[in-house]
Amino acid sequence: MKANCWLDTSTVGVQDVPDPTILDQRDAIVRITSTAICGSDLHLYNGLVPTMKAGDVLGHEFMGEVVEVGPEVKNLSPGDRVVVPFPIACGRCAQCTRALFSLCENSNPNAWMAEKVWGYSPAGIFGYSHMLGGYPGGQAQYARVPFADVGPLKVPPGVPDEKVLFLSDIFPTGYMGAELCDIEPGDVVAVWGCGPVGQFAIKSATLLGAERVIAIDRFPYRLRMAREQSGAETIDYEEVDLYDALKDMTGGRGPDACIDAVGMEGHAPGVVGAYDRVKQAVGLETDRPHALRQAIMACRSGGTVSVVGVYAGFIDKFPFGSVMNRSLTIRTGQTHVQRYMKPLLARIEQGQIDPSFVITHRLPLEQAPRGYDMFLHKQDDCMKVVLTP
Ligand code: NAD
Ligand code: ZN
Ligand code: ZN
């Protein structure tokens, strides 16, 4: 089959790879009909996640048609259309039974690698490095889906792929980012990053009752989408002093909750940006946590900082004194997607949201390298690329 593979830093390519086969009784094989490129894939593309090998099949946002099931998969049959959640989870371990699916204790065969960096291992993830399981991903014609009796969500007939594809990751991720803020009536929520995840965090904060949402980025087309699609107020952080602007907009108190939808490749103008780039280049920090630092400093005392942007390792100049002295709460995680798929499908079916609003580019799988390049460099007002195998 054809699959989009990680070849080296800044290089992906569509190659012939072996067709997946059933390896476990709880596996299914899915013929992929739609797949997408995520901001998390850019961290791989930019060489910031260790333990990638040339030829690894990328992609963790995908859906398609079941073509084969293992004997223990009783809930799916060939022909069913499914969306596949990006964390691989057994549904039976201590973490899965607490609905903490992205922490499944049974899905990472390379847990020892993750333990070295993080202490304990989270769940395996499709197409996301060997330290997270070495599973071939879904930017391909077919994928093997482990624990298919637990993860995949059956899609009702008649609902187009584009409306439900993002249940695999970015809609639940933005939603969890907002849910972790425990939004109360009257709350002001600020969101760093107006990429696809930020857009869903902004919309979800509104769905969950925020009175005002303030969206922060520097790309005018991304800020425009936040205004037009979700009624957010927006700040271009290159045009104003962000801290002062947020303070002014919130009666001098700061937003009640701040969501970091940027992650480890935060952009920072001037000296701070140069500092982070140099420290990262020489290995003294792994991540550039500029947005996280700002979210902490800007948050109202006693407020919540919700971090859904991905961080990989060690950060520097972390204002922990601000967290401690001002009683901030930090909440974070890879999304427990399986927990959110059904309730969010219901919101789609009720017409509360049509997640396809973020799609700006549709390309055949063969053009995945062009898709990565466009998405990374924000060419042609690129927001979200959907690939069709
Ligand atoms: P993206 O790269 O398209 O979006 C990031 C946005 O942040 C860009 O628009 C960029 O301009 C903006 N940005 C950069 N520096 C900034 C700063 N200092 N202040 C404000 N904005 C800034 O990616 P995306 O697909 O939207 O993903 C965003 C993050 O979410 C990534 O880190 C990704 O890995 C992560 N993610 C996490 C999960 C999860 O399970 N927690 C799932 C999916 C994605
Ligand atoms: Zn993702
Ligand atoms: Zn589990």
Side-chain angles (χ1 to χ4, degrees):
M1 67 164 185
K2 302 262 181 236
N4 184 44
C5 300
W6 188 93
L7 299 175
D8 203 344
T9 299
S10 307
T11 315
V12 299
V14 177
Q15 300 193 331
D16 287 312
V17 303
D19 286 1
T21 52
I22 300 269
L23 299 178
D24 182 275
Q25 308 210 332
R26 297 173 69 191
D27 286 353
I29 304 295
V30 172
R31 181 182 64 80
I32 294 162
T33 52
S34 297
T35 176
I37 306 174
C38 179
S40 300
D41 292 325
L42 296 180
H43 306 319
L44 305 175
Y45 191 59
N46 292 332
L48 293 175
V49 178
T51 73
M52 289 298 290
K53 292 186 193 158
D56 286 349
V57 178
L58 290 163
H60 58 267
E61 299 181 358
F62 59 98
M63 63 178 295
E65 185 191 323
V66 174
V67 291
E68 199 183 341
V69 292
E72 290 296 315
V73 182
K74 312 276 189 214
N75 56 321
L76 297 177
S77 324
D80 286 345
R81 279 173 75 217
V82 290
V83 185
V84 179
F86 80 81
I88 299 169
C90 77
R92 295 177 187 169
C93 71
Q95 299 289 8
C96 284
T97 49
R98 292 187 187 112
L100 297 171
F101 296 98
S102 74
L103 304 178
C104 175
E105 293 168 339
N106 281 327
S107 62
N108 185 0
N110 300 329
W112 65 272
M113 291 188 196
E115 283 168 8
K116 284 211 158 133
V117 190
W118 295 326
Y120 295 88
S121 176
I125 294 180
F126 290 102
Y128 217 75
S129 84
H130 289 266
M131 68 185 274
L132 290 177
Y135 291 96
Q139 289 166 9
Q141 290 180 303
Y142 294 88
R144 169 188 162 236
V145 177
F147 305 122
D149 53 330
V150 174
L153 174 78
K154 261 200 245 185
V155 179
V159 183
D161 278 21
E162 292 189 350
K163 267 195 164 174
V164 289
L165 172 62
F166 303 135
L167 288 171
S168 59
D169 178 353
I170 56 173
F171 182 18
T173 296
Y175 189 88
M176 186 172 97
E179 194 187 64
L180 293 178
C181 298
D182 288 335
I183 296 168
E184 292 186 8
D187 275 2
V188 182
V189 177
V191 179
W192 273 253
C194 297
V197 170
Q199 300 292 337
F200 282 108
I202 293 161
K203 231 190 209 328
S204 301
T206 308
L207 284 174
L208 290 171
E211 184 161 307
R212 293 165 60 204
V213 181
I214 303 172
I216 303 155
D217 207 301
R218 73 187 158 117
F219 291 97
Y221 76 95
R222 292 185 167 213
L223 292 167
R224 194 184 324 122
M225 185 180 273
R227 283 193 300 274
E228 289 176 358
Q229 293 290 337
S230 307
E233 299 162 57
T234 56
I235 302 178
D236 178 342
Y237 65 83
E238 286 192 317
E239 304 227 303
V240 293
D241 182 288
L242 181 60
Y243 170 81
D244 288 345
L246 285 169
K247 201 170 175 182
D248 285 348
M249 291 165 86
T250 53
R253 188 176 279 141
D256 299 288
C258 293
I259 302 177
D260 171 353
V262 176
M264 68 174 108
E265 296 188 70
H267 162 264
V271 181
V272 190
Y275 172 90
D276 278 331
R277 282 188 176 276
V278 169
K279 286 212 102 167
Q280 191 179 50
V282 298
L284 288 173
E285 65 177 348
T286 53
D287 305 21
R288 307 196 300 267
H290 190 60
L292 179 56
R293 292 183 192 121
Q294 288 187 320
I296 289 170
M297 295 302 280
C299 192
R300 151 173 87 68
S301 293
T304 298
V305 178
S306 161
V307 186
V308 289
V310 165
Y311 290 86
F314 301 94
I315 60 179
D316 199 8
K317 297 229 178 308
F318 184 68
F320 201 70
S322 176
V323 176
M324 191 275 157
N325 287 284
R326 300 194 304 109
S327 307
L328 299 183
T329 299
I330 298 187
R331 301 182 73 186
T332 186
Q334 294 281 359
T335 305
H336 308 294
V337 177
Q338 286 83 339
R339 192 204 283 177
Y340 297 99
M341 292 177 101
K342 273 193 187 151
L344 294 185
L345 174 64
R347 287 188 187 262
I348 296 170
E349 288 182 305
Q350 289 157 16
Q352 293 179 24
I353 180 169
D354 176 355
S356 64
F357 76 94
V358 293
I359 302 173
T360 51
H361 292 77
R362 298 164 175 87
L363 298 174
L365 178 67
E366 291 71 40
Q367 290 187 33
R370 191 174 144 233
Y372 272 72
D373 196 54
M374 268 194 327
F375 181 43
L376 174 64
H377 295 109
K378 280 86 178 168
Q379 288 157 359
D380 194 25
D381 287 0
C382 183
M383 177 67 81
K384 190 76 180 175
V385 182
V386 173
L387 303 167
T388 313

